[in-house]
Amino acid sequence: MKGPPSDTDFMRLALAEARQAGERGEVPVGAVLVRGEQVVASGGNCPIAAHDPSAHAEIVTLRAAGQALGNYRLDDTVLYVTLEPCLMCASAIVHARVRRVVFGAFDPKAGAAGGIIDAFAIKGLNHRVDVFGGVLEEECAALLSGFFAGMREP
């Protein structure tokens, strides 16, 4: 008998969102927000199509979750995202009061969960987020590297 969904199960859903983003020509990053065992919202990167520099997968998902729950505070939720959040997304996650972030691939160039900065550890923030990285890391990283390799090919 299968137990409750695991971090890996939810990351697979985020990977599906990332693949869809990649098929649309966006950088393939996907996110899923969960409360308990229920998916509240999901989304993928869409800054190109939306003409919106803030339309990262995390922001798209947080916005959809706020609408679905009728509240900008997303208490007791977990955000699964295929790439380590950037500083903009980390700040939005803190302000939304997300309880936990689980990410796949680390981002040494823009990551704000330890990559270049750990925004979640800044003293004085009014909310603490539990962060865990590396879930399905190889699969998440391969999706991104494959996308960028395809862009470099003639």
Side-chain angles (χ1 to χ4, degrees):
M1 172 156 70
K2 186 170 171 22
S6 67
D7 286 347
T8 301
D9 295 327
F10 288 121
M11 188 61 74
R12 289 197 194 291
L13 296 176
L15 272 163
E17 292 289 338
R19 286 187 194 94
Q20 290 175 19
E23 289 167 6
R24 295 189 306 268
E26 303 279 358
V27 174
V29 178
V32 174
L33 189 85
V34 175
R35 181 177 276 162
E37 296 179 13
Q38 192 73 32
V39 173
V40 175
S42 61
N45 264 4
C46 64
I48 297 167
H51 308 290
D52 180 355
S54 70
H56 289 192
E58 299 95 323
I59 302 295
V60 168
T61 302
L62 293 175
R63 286 177 179 155
Q67 292 298 307
L69 297 173
N71 196 336
Y72 72 100
R73 295 258 171 102
L74 306 176
D75 297 317
D76 298 318
T77 59
V78 179
L79 181 68
Y80 294 87
V81 60
T82 58
L83 181 64
E84 180 182 356
C86 70
L87 187 56
M88 173 185 69
C89 293
S91 296
I93 290 163
V94 169
H95 284 288
R97 307 292 200 278
V98 171
R99 180 176 49 83
R100 184 171 178 242
V101 173
V102 178
F103 67 88
F106 290 82
D107 186 350
K109 293 183 180 179
I116 60 168
I117 188 172
D118 189 352
F120 298 104
I122 295 172
K123 293 189 185 312
L125 289 176
N126 62 344
H127 177 71
R128 289 281 174 227
V129 179
D130 180 30
V131 180
F132 183 75
V135 174
L136 297 179
E137 178 180 3
E138 289 179 13
E139 195 171 339
C140 294
L143 184 61
L144 287 159
S145 61
F147 175 81
F148 288 114
M151 292 183 71
R152 288 188 293 269
E153 292 175 0

